[in-house]
Amino acid sequence: MDFTNSSCGESDHRQIEENKPLLGEMSAPEGGKMGAVPCRRAVVHFNGMRYKLLQEGDIQVCVIRHPRTFLSKILTSKFLRRWEPHHLTLADNSLTSATPTGYMEDSMPYSAIEDVQLLSWENAPKYCLQLTFPGGTVLLQAANSYLRDQWFHSLQWKKKIYKYKKVLSNPNRWEVVLKEIRSLVDMALTSPLQDDSIHQAPLEIVSKLLSESINLTTQEHESIIVAIAPLLENNHPPPDLCEFFCKHCRERPRSMVVIEVFTPVVQRILKHNMDFGKCPRLRLFTQEYILALNELNAGMEVVKKFIHSMHGPTANCPHPRVLPNLVAVCLAAIYSCYEEFINSRDNSPSLKEIRNGCQQQCDRKPNIPLRLLHTNPDLVSQEVTSADSRHKTVIVTSNEVHVEVERNNTVNQKLKANTGNDSEPNLIDCLLISPACSTMSIELSPQAERVLECYVEILKILSDYDDWRPALASLLQPIPFPKEALAHETFTKELKYVIQRFAEDPRQEVHSCLLSVRAGKDGWFQLYSPGGVACDDDGELFASMVHILMGSCYKTKKFLLSLAENKLGPCMLLALRGNQTMVEILCLMLEYNIIENNDTQLQIISTLESTDVGKRMYEQLCDRQRELKELQRKGGPTRLTLPSKSTDADLARLLSSGSFGNLENLSLAFTNVTSACAEQLIKLPSLKQLNLWSTQFGDAGLRVLSEHLTTLQVLNLCETPVTDAGLLALSCKDHISSFLINALYIQYV
């Protein structure tokens, strides 16, 4: 039987002539010059039946040796052939059997296989493959035609990849190597196999080749990048290839390869990457690519157009991963700018050691070697930690870190007073105790300055998109920046634009992120308020933040108490200058009895009377107080029901008409009242039962009631727009014994 005949009637893609030399399959670039190729190659992709790459499977095996005698020729005839079932594994370099006996006692290396063909002549065994090797032929018989073709293409792929690995492992001339890389890429693109390894295997081969070949010219760099570009359209580059791309971006940022080849690769990374922590070099490559765009003549305009292309022309970005990935890249880049300063404090004592006096200056280890522009692994949604703060004054230059330790008696006394407390101080305390605030002078290198400017500008651009702003505010709420950045005046001044955008946004999900992420931890509101480490104005941003917070659902005693305890001085100063928001704040402090000290109350009154707007609002407050005393005077009904369709104005008009100091049961069911009527309800000192069935009373009103109505015991919220957030405000109030919500009766025991 002649096993050298080619298959008849089969499609062309099933036949690969293995007798052709592997080298020289592709013609050299026009002119024979490296780099004289266009940035994009026209590649024909495979269209037709698709198969999954086999790694192992069951198949029938028959080995036919070349007949040397007449007897051996008889024994190899088709009537005397013996078939053996085997479970074959397609390893990286050979074909092996799980039961190494009989025909497959020894593995068959791919280097020994001369040809792989499909048998399809008239009397050939059904569904068979023919593997030709120097001593004979191996027949593989599958169960059906699809499985036969799957084995055929898988064996062809394994054999080809094995040969390319050997050829490209010992490169001699780069012109020949480039042709082999192009041939390898075309083979991967035209293969009918459908598997992640089909495109990843060539990329890994090229990546290994580049990592072992360090003496490449720029033209050779670009030629290789252009050759493998088609594979990168649907695949992430391997880590070593990312290093190669980063090097090219740093050395030739103005190359057309960066624009034409790297742009779709980075766009795919930003759209589909799920976790930069698992592949930090992808993030570093994206970071270097954006810096390369910034080096072009148009600079940030090019970067802005790139971000706009990632967002898309519609109002909402269709790719949910773009924003988190861009923020992760920005955080890593900003971290890298201050990495040498962070390294200088890695061996300094922690805050707890400083406060307890456990480590002296002479016990500190020498600073570790400094590195610049190397990223920290995972900074997505990373909170700023205060555990590594320093108790020293630091003066830092660009390339050398000169540390000057100065003891501060005031700080020492403060630390000794808090020695017994085991909890870590908040961020502002950390910055005041350690190097920041006004005692730390940071001078970045010119390269670090450019990186910082670029990525802070990107954060500004991201904050200008309405659909991205809520998620951006949530990602930045934990303040995921090192303390050195917050102590750097240039950084905080540039980031102020982003905080202003949050403060101007009327959506609660955005401006609420100005507050701390949890109790006991400072947020942007504290950092940019007067006295905060990032405040560089006279309180304009602080007033804007207070205004937007007070205008939503933060008109509560808790918020006013925090302002009275920490920011009363700035509030009075801004009120003295005629800021209407601060005047309203001071009036609310007086109205809700937030200030207990008589002298402080008189000082607030004097501040209010010093301006026209303050005098007018204080007079209105006095009128309300007189009406409140009249309203709360004992007397009047104990039960009251408002007619249906009554409004907030009707309720206010009714309560202002007489005394309701004895009112215990109020029914507003089926009226049109909203959360605004809570301002009137909190004036009823004896109210115990409140019926709000089928009204528009929402979460904001519940927060006000929970703060002020301490006598309330029963609350009916059936068919109201109350959400979990509103109920959360009631959950910590022990005085409410039961309430109804959507026909569900809940009673506290």
Side-chain angles (χ1 to χ4, degrees):
M1 182 180 293
D2 186 6
F3 293 100
T4 60
N5 293 336
S6 60
S7 303
C8 300
E10 296 290 329
S11 59
D12 294 340
H13 71 268
R14 292 181 178 175
Q15 302 180 19
I16 300 180
E17 300 181 13
E18 294 294 323
N19 54 353
K20 290 185 179 181
L22 189 64
L23 295 174
E25 290 183 358
M26 298 283 296
S27 58
E30 185 177 351
K33 294 182 180 180
M34 296 289 292
V37 292
C39 286
R40 292 185 181 270
R41 288 195 305 132
V43 180
V44 179
H45 294 265
F46 177 83
N47 293 317
M49 184 74 76
R50 291 286 184 176
Y51 307 91
K52 182 175 176 59
L53 177 64
L54 281 175
Q55 300 296 338
E56 57 181 346
D58 295 321
I59 200 167
Q60 298 287 328
V61 180
C62 179
V63 177
I64 303 174
R65 303 287 179 181
H66 289 319
R68 299 180 183 275
T69 63
F70 180 74
L71 178 62
S72 61
K73 187 172 184 179
I74 294 176
L75 294 176
T76 56
S77 64
K78 66 178 181 178
F79 302 104
L80 299 178
R81 289 176 191 155
R82 179 171 57 89
W83 292 87
E84 295 178 356
H86 282 273
H87 185 83
L88 300 185
T89 300
L90 283 74
D92 291 337
N93 52 11
S94 63
L95 185 66
T96 61
S97 174
T99 56
T101 57
Y103 292 143
M104 298 301 296
E105 183 176 3
D106 298 323
S107 62
M108 180 181 295
Y110 297 134
S111 57
I113 300 176
E114 296 178 348
D115 194 11
V116 180
Q117 288 185 347
L118 295 170
L119 298 185
S120 59
W121 59 79
E122 185 177 353
N123 294 323
K126 203 171 184 180
Y127 310 135
C128 272
L129 298 176
Q130 172 185 328
L131 310 184
T132 305
F133 64 97
T137 301
V138 176
L139 298 180
L140 303 179
Q141 188 174 33
N144 52 60
S145 60
Y146 181 85
L147 193 59
R148 175 200 61 188
D149 293 348
Q150 192 176 12
W151 274 95
F152 170 74
H153 293 297
S154 299
L155 283 168
Q156 287 280 19
W157 172 261
K158 291 286 186 178
K159 182 176 179 295
K160 270 283 194 182
I161 284 294
Y162 175 75
K163 284 192 175 183
Y164 277 113
K165 285 181 179 179
K166 289 189 64 178
V167 171
L168 295 178
S169 62
N170 297 309
N172 295 322
R173 292 187 307 162
W174 276 102
E175 292 83 358
V176 178
V177 169
L178 181 60
K179 289 190 292 184
E180 294 302 327
I181 292 175
R182 289 174 177 168
S183 177
L184 173 63
V185 171
D186 290 343
M187 182 194 72
L189 293 175
T190 57
S191 173
L193 295 174
Q194 199 167 19
D195 193 85
D196 292 340
S197 62
I198 299 302
H199 288 171
Q200 284 296 328
L203 289 176
E204 291 174 358
I205 292 174
V206 175
S207 178
K208 183 179 179 182
L209 172 67
L210 294 173
S211 64
E212 296 174 353
S213 305
I214 58 175
N215 298 322
L216 293 178
T217 64
T218 301
Q219 288 184 339
E220 291 167 346
H221 272 189
E222 295 190 352
S223 298
I224 293 174
I225 292 172
V226 172
I228 64 176
L231 292 179
L232 298 173
E233 292 179 1
N234 298 309
N235 300 273
H236 291 335
D240 292 338
L241 204 57
C242 287
E243 290 284 350
F244 176 71
F245 290 168
C246 290
K247 180 181 178 182
H248 189 79
C249 287
R250 286 191 293 265
E251 294 179 353
R252 296 204 64 189
R254 296 173 179 266
S255 169
M256 289 303 298
V257 169
V258 174
I259 301 296
E260 297 191 12
V261 179
F262 288 169
T263 297
V265 179
V266 174
Q267 286 177 335
R268 187 181 188 280
I269 291 173
L270 292 175
K271 290 177 181 178
H272 300 288
N273 178 69
M274 297 302 295
D275 186 5
F276 276 131
K278 296 180 180 178
C279 40
R281 293 187 184 179
L282 284 179
R283 184 188 61 206
L284 186 60
F285 167 50
T286 306
Q287 178 180 332
E288 294 292 345
Y289 166 79
I290 294 176
L291 290 176
L293 294 184
N294 193 39
E295 293 295 325
L296 299 177
N297 291 336
M300 284 308 301
E301 286 298 322
V302 181
V303 177
K304 188 173 182 179
K305 289 180 180 178
F306 171 74
I307 294 176
H308 180 71
S309 69
M310 296 305 305
H311 180 276
T314 59
N316 295 312
C317 178
H319 305 287
R321 291 300 308 167
V322 170
L323 178 66
N325 287 333
L326 279 173
V327 173
V329 172
C330 292
L331 296 181
I334 293 172
Y335 180 94
S336 69
C337 297
Y338 300 94
E339 190 170 6
E340 66 175 75
F341 311 124
I342 296 171
N343 288 339
S344 68
R345 66 168 163 97
D346 281 345
N347 289 299
S348 58
S350 65
L351 283 176
K352 194 169 183 179
E353 291 172 336
I354 291 174
R355 292 163 57 194
N356 294 333
C358 296
Q359 186 174 10
Q360 301 298 327
Q361 172 67 19
C362 58
D363 296 332
R364 298 183 189 176
K365 300 176 183 179
N367 291 333
I368 63 176
L370 303 179
R371 295 174 292 114
L372 186 61
L373 295 176
H374 288 267
T375 56
N376 193 37
D378 188 14
L379 289 174
V380 180
S381 299
Q382 177 183 356
E383 295 184 1
V384 174
T385 176
S386 60
D388 295 328
S389 180
R390 294 175 294 170
H391 177 202
K392 55 189 176 182
T393 300
V394 182
I395 301 174
V396 193
T397 56
S398 58
N399 296 321
E400 298 180 356
V401 177
H402 175 65
V403 180
E404 178 186 345
V405 180
E406 296 180 0
R407 297 295 179 180
N408 190 315
N409 295 331
T410 305
V411 173
N412 284 339
Q413 293 174 2
K414 181 178 180 180
L415 295 178
K416 291 177 181 178
N418 295 331
T419 300
N421 188 5
D422 290 335
S423 62
E424 294 291 340
N426 57 29
L427 179 60
I428 291 183
D429 291 339
C430 177
L431 290 168
L432 290 174
I433 293 173
S434 69
C437 204
S438 60
T439 60
M440 186 173 186
S441 175
I442 295 180
E443 295 182 9
L444 298 179
S445 65
Q447 173 64 14
E449 287 282 0
R450 288 194 295 270
V451 173
L452 181 66
E453 180 183 359
C454 174
Y455 283 98
V456 174
E457 189 65 30
I458 290 177
L459 290 177
K460 294 181 182 180
I461 296 172
L462 297 179
S463 68
D464 287 334
Y465 288 92
D466 290 339
D467 61 316
W468 276 351
R469 202 175 299 131
L472 178 63
S474 178
L475 290 172
L476 297 185
Q477 186 180 12
I479 314 184
F481 300 103
K483 294 189 292 293
E484 286 76 6
L486 299 176
H488 190 197
E489 183 181 356
T490 302
F491 173 76
T492 55
K493 186 175 181 180
E494 294 298 324
L495 193 66
K496 183 178 179 180
Y497 177 84
V498 179
I499 307 303
Q500 284 177 331
R501 296 294 289 165
F502 295 163
E504 294 168 358
D505 197 299
R507 292 171 291 184
Q508 180 185 342
E509 58 182 327
V510 177
H511 60 249
S512 63
C513 292
L514 295 171
L515 300 176
S516 59
V517 69
R518 63 175 182 268
K521 182 177 176 63
D522 288 316
W524 295 112
F525 179 77
Q526 286 79 15
L527 261 66
Y528 278 93
S529 61
V533 294
C535 183
D536 62 347
D537 55 22
D538 293 331
E540 288 82 2
L541 178 57
F542 170 68
S544 177
M545 291 189 290
V546 172
H547 175 74
I548 194 69
L549 292 173
M550 290 296 295
S552 58
C553 60
Y554 290 96
K555 201 171 185 180
T556 63
K557 279 187 176 180
K558 184 178 179 181
F559 185 63
L560 293 172
L561 279 170
S562 66
L563 290 179
E565 292 175 359
N566 304 310
K567 304 298 177 185
L568 183 58
C571 289
M572 293 177 64
L573 178 61
L574 292 172
L576 191 62
R577 295 175 179 176
N579 187 282
Q580 187 169 350
T581 301
M582 293 306 158
V583 170
E584 182 182 357
I585 290 291
L586 295 182
C587 290
L588 287 173
M589 288 181 181
L590 294 176
E591 184 174 1
Y592 294 157
N593 295 321
I594 301 297
I595 307 299
E596 297 180 355
N597 186 278
N598 292 330
D599 293 336
T600 306
Q601 290 181 358
L602 293 175
Q603 186 177 356
I604 291 176
I605 294 172
S606 300
T607 303
L608 292 174
E609 291 180 341
S610 62
T611 60
D612 294 337
V613 61
K615 185 181 300 183
R616 185 178 67 256
M617 295 187 72
Y618 180 65
E619 290 175 354
Q620 294 173 358
L621 171 62
C622 293
D623 294 339
R624 289 198 303 271
Q625 291 291 341
R626 284 191 293 270
E627 293 175 358
L628 179 61
K629 290 180 180 180
E630 179 66 24
L631 174 66
Q632 294 179 343
R633 192 175 58 186
K634 291 299 181 179
T638 58
R639 300 174 62 90
L640 181 63
T641 300
L642 254 69
S644 61
K645 308 301 181 182
S646 298
T647 63
D648 296 332
D650 297 329
L651 176 63
R653 192 177 301 110
L654 176 64
L655 294 181
S656 62
S657 62
S659 300
F660 291 91
N662 292 339
L663 186 61
E664 297 180 356
N665 189 320
L666 176 61
S667 177
L668 301 177
F670 305 104
T671 62
N672 293 332
V673 297
T674 65
S675 297
C677 74
E679 296 293 335
Q680 303 297 327
L681 297 177
I682 62 176
K683 299 175 182 178
L684 302 173
S686 303
L687 190 61
K688 296 180 180 179
Q689 299 180 17
L690 179 60
N691 188 353
L692 295 170
W693 192 350
S694 189
T695 63
Q696 296 302 312
F697 198 88
D699 296 341
L702 278 184
R703 291 189 179 94
V704 177
L705 294 184
S706 64
E707 288 283 344
H708 298 276
L709 279 184
T710 58
T711 60
L712 190 63
Q713 297 177 1
V714 179
L715 183 60
N716 189 338
L717 297 173
C718 291
E719 300 181 19
T720 59
V722 173
T723 65
D724 294 344
L727 295 179
L728 187 62
L730 295 177
S731 62
C732 58
K733 303 302 177 183
D734 298 333
H735 55 81
I736 300 180
S737 59
S738 60
F739 64 90
L740 284 165
I741 177 169
N742 291 339
L744 177 64
Y745 179 74
I746 301 176
Q747 182 175 11
Y748 293 109
V749 180

